[in-house]
């Protein structure tokens, strides 16, 4: 037996007397239109939306004859098309004019179609924030701002800020990168929301509740706008802490990036044969602990103390030679960047970093990550002088392919003199 609305409420409560439900009951014609569209399987819903959108898309001649519908939807099964049209007509989304023998969209059908169109246009982006900002902007433009829409927008902004804060506190370069990309994807909606809030706060007719929500949204947006610099500083700090793997030019981040891109099967094949035995769990009780302690204190035969000689220092000259090469490379890079800092136009990363060999190029690129590092600037070295240069490193997604004997690709980016801003 199908439940009635009264069955969902406790005894003594009248549904019509509840404020939150009263607004929904007033909107029942529109809600019934959505129920008609979205009841049933996914395939049925898609076909209904397709038919309704095509009917509503003809603005110059909004009424359709049955013959025009059959011709326009020739790619649909005729029996299925009749079923869809009958369902839309019986549930009030389509109106049949018996005198003119024509179909037309009803008022609830047109409203439901417009709402679905607005929602689907945000697909592929941050649909939630974009849609919510669009709803507030539309209400503001016609002078009917919904407090509920403002609440939803404020909640979404607070959720995003909490996610960004969690990424920063994690100290994980990968999570911070992901959070920065997320911020970039919603940036234009935050800027649009800032414009809308500015207009709302200047509206003297706005009620107190909506005004308080608008102020809270403006504060949440300003907090989010400040995160751009925080992300860049934190990534620069992490870049300075990367571990370089020998003279290969690779860092621990490069290895972690590569491992994250491998499938489970690939990782299993890499580990195949590396473990001579599998780990086994050990469980200890008080009796076993006493036995082991007694053996360690009284029964264990101690090995004789062996004096080990220090390794020879034959490798020292090679290390000194390597440090000298790095010093010369740092000095050469400092001279080039000093000339760039005196200019007003930015220079590409390729022109500033690429050297004759791969190791030198990798070393020069690692030095650029220290630009603006306050800790490195305190040292007394050519690296500290390089860090103090008025330059900013800006990187982009993707790589550039090079015609070079040892360097195949390099990240896209540029070095911008700070005085050019």
């Amino acid at each position: 037996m199908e439940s009635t609305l009264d069955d969902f409420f406790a005894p003594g409560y009248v549904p019509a007397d509840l404020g939150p439900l009263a607004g929904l009951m007033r909107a029942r014609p529109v809600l019934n239109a959505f129920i008609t569209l979205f009841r049933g399987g996914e395939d049925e819903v898609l076909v209904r939306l397709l038919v309704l959108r095509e009917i509503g898309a003809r603005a110059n001649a909004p009424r359709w004859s049955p013959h025009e519908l059959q011709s326009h939807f020739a790619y649909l099964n005729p029996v299925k098309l009749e079923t869809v049209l009958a369902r839309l007509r019986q549930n009030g989304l389509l109106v049949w004019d018996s005198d003119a023998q024509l179909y037309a969209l009803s008022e609830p059908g047109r409203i439901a179609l417009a709402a679905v169109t607005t929602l689907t246009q945000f697909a592929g982006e941050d649909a939630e924030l974009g849609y919510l900002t669009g709803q507030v902007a539309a209400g503001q433009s016609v002078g009917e701002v919904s407090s509920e829409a403002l609440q939803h927008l404020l909640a979404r902004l607070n959720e995003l800020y909490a996610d960004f804060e969690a990424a920063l506190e994690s100290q994980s370069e990968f999570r911070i990168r992901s959070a920065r990309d997320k911020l970039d994807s919603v940036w234009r909606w935050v800027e649009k929301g800032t414009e809308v809030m500015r207009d709302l706060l200047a509206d003297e007719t706005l009620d107190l509740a909506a005004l308080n929500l608008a102020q809270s949204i403006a504060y949440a947006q300003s907090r989010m706008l400040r995160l751009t610099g925080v992300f860049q500083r934190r990534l620069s700090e992490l870049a300075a802490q990367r571990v370089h793997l020998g003279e290969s030019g690779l860092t621990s981040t490069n290895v972690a990036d590569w491992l994250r891109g491998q499938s489970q099967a690939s990782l299993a094949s890499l580990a195949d044969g590396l473990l001579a035995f599998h780990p086994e769990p050990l469980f200890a009780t008080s009796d076993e602990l006493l036995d082991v302690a007694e053996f360690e204190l009284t029964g264990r035969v101690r090995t004789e103390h062996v004096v080990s000689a220090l390794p020879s220092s034959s490798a020292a000259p090679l290390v000194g030679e390597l440090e000298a090469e790095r010093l010369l490379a740092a000095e050469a890079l400092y001279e080039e960047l000093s000339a760039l800092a005196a200019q007003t136009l930015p220079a590409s990363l390729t022109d500033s970093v690429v050297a004759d060999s791969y190791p030198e190029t990798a070393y020069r690129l690692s030095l650029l990550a220290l630009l603006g590092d306050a800790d490195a600037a305190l040292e007394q070295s050519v690296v500290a002088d390089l860090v103090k240069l008025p330059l900013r490193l800006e990187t982009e997604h993707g790589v550039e392919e090079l015609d070079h004997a040892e360097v195949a690709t390099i990240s896209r980016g540029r070095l911008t003199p700070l005085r050019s801003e």
Side-chain angles (χ1 to χ4, degrees):
M1 184 177 66
E2 188 174 353
S3 299
T4 63
L5 184 60
D6 293 334
D7 296 333
F8 289 91
F9 293 87
Y13 287 91
V14 180
D17 294 339
L18 297 175
L21 183 61
L24 295 175
M25 295 180 68
R26 286 195 301 269
R28 262 188 169 178
V30 178
L31 296 179
N32 287 334
F34 283 105
I35 293 172
T36 300
L37 285 174
F38 293 102
R39 174 176 288 178
E42 181 180 351
D43 297 335
E44 300 173 76
V45 171
L46 288 175
V47 173
R48 287 187 209 126
L49 288 173
L50 170 66
V51 171
L52 196 67
R53 290 183 68 180
E54 288 297 295
I55 293 176
R58 200 169 74 170
N60 294 330
R63 296 191 173 190
W64 297 70
S65 67
H67 177 71
E68 288 175 329
L69 289 173
Q70 292 172 1
S71 299
H72 186 83
F73 294 106
Y75 50 84
L76 293 179
N77 184 310
V79 177
K80 297 294 185 181
L81 175 61
E82 287 298 326
T83 303
V84 171
L85 292 175
R87 182 180 181 86
L88 296 177
R89 185 176 66 249
Q90 292 168 3
N91 289 276
L93 277 77
L94 282 181
V95 177
W96 170 249
D97 188 343
S98 57
D99 295 334
Q101 298 290 300
L102 295 174
Y103 283 101
L105 281 182
S106 67
E107 182 179 345
R110 181 73 68 180
I111 294 174
L113 180 58
V116 172
T117 302
T118 302
L119 181 61
T120 55
Q121 77 181 72
F122 292 97
E125 307 174 14
D126 186 77
E128 187 177 8
L129 186 61
Y131 181 76
L132 295 174
T133 304
Q135 292 294 302
V136 174
Q140 185 270 334
S141 64
V142 298
E144 293 290 341
V145 180
S146 168
S147 296
E148 191 172 358
L150 291 173
Q151 290 172 349
H152 292 319
L153 178 58
L154 176 60
R156 181 54 181 160
L157 289 171
N158 288 334
E159 288 174 353
L160 284 173
Y161 186 79
D163 293 341
F164 294 152
E165 271 197 326
L168 289 170
E169 292 174 359
S170 70
Q171 296 293 327
S172 168
E173 183 176 357
F174 303 103
R175 287 190 61 183
I176 295 175
R177 279 187 194 171
S178 177
R180 185 187 62 179
D181 293 341
K182 180 67 173 178
L183 179 60
D184 291 341
S185 69
V186 303
W187 187 257
R188 70 187 184 101
W189 297 119
V190 175
E191 291 183 327
K192 180 62 178 178
T194 302
E195 297 175 6
V196 175
M197 291 307 113
R198 187 180 297 113
D199 294 338
L200 280 179
L201 293 174
D203 187 358
E204 297 181 355
T205 63
L206 201 65
D207 61 84
L208 182 60
L211 179 62
N212 291 335
L213 287 171
Q215 290 175 339
S216 298
I217 291 173
Y219 174 71
Q221 290 171 336
S222 64
R223 288 194 310 171
M224 198 170 296
L225 291 173
R226 291 195 298 266
L227 284 178
T228 304
V230 177
F231 279 135
Q232 190 59 46
R233 288 196 301 271
R234 191 63 56 84
L235 288 173
S236 298
E237 293 172 0
L238 293 174
Q241 298 171 6
R242 290 176 184 166
V243 178
H244 290 265
L245 306 180
E247 296 302 308
S248 64
L250 295 175
T251 66
S252 54
T253 301
N254 300 135
V255 176
D257 273 332
W258 183 81
L259 290 174
R260 283 172 174 267
Q262 303 302 308
S263 64
Q264 292 185 356
S266 299
L267 294 176
S269 64
L270 289 174
D272 187 24
L274 298 181
L275 293 176
F277 57 90
H278 62 84
E280 297 180 357
L282 295 177
F283 301 95
T285 62
S286 57
D287 293 338
E288 281 76 14
L289 290 175
L290 288 173
D291 290 341
V292 172
E294 182 181 4
F295 170 75
E296 291 291 336
L297 293 174
T298 61
R300 180 179 176 184
V301 178
R302 306 291 176 180
T303 58
E304 295 182 2
H305 180 67
V306 178
V307 178
S308 300
L310 292 173
S312 63
S313 60
S314 59
L318 295 178
V319 175
E321 181 180 349
L322 176 60
E323 292 298 328
E325 292 178 359
R326 287 186 171 180
L327 179 61
L328 292 175
E331 291 176 347
L333 181 60
Y334 173 73
E335 293 179 0
E336 296 177 15
L337 296 186
S338 297
L340 174 60
Q343 301 176 7
T344 58
L345 297 177
S348 67
L349 199 58
T350 303
D351 298 336
S352 306
V353 171
V354 177
D356 295 335
S357 65
Y358 175 78
E360 186 178 355
T361 300
Y363 179 63
R364 288 163 66 96
L365 184 59
S366 67
L367 289 178
L368 293 184
L370 298 174
L371 285 172
D373 190 310
D375 295 334
L378 298 176
E379 301 177 3
Q380 299 295 326
S381 65
V382 66
V383 175
D385 295 337
L386 188 149
V387 168
K388 298 175 185 177
L389 289 174
L391 295 171
R392 181 176 62 203
L393 175 62
E394 300 174 348
T395 57
E396 303 175 357
H397 292 293
V399 297
E400 293 184 9
E401 297 184 358
L402 305 178
D403 184 13
H404 193 281
E406 297 186 19
V407 182
T409 60
I410 189 171
S411 301
R412 292 179 181 172
R414 67 185 66 85
L415 283 172
T416 305
L418 295 180
R419 288 177 296 183
S420 65
E421 297 181 348

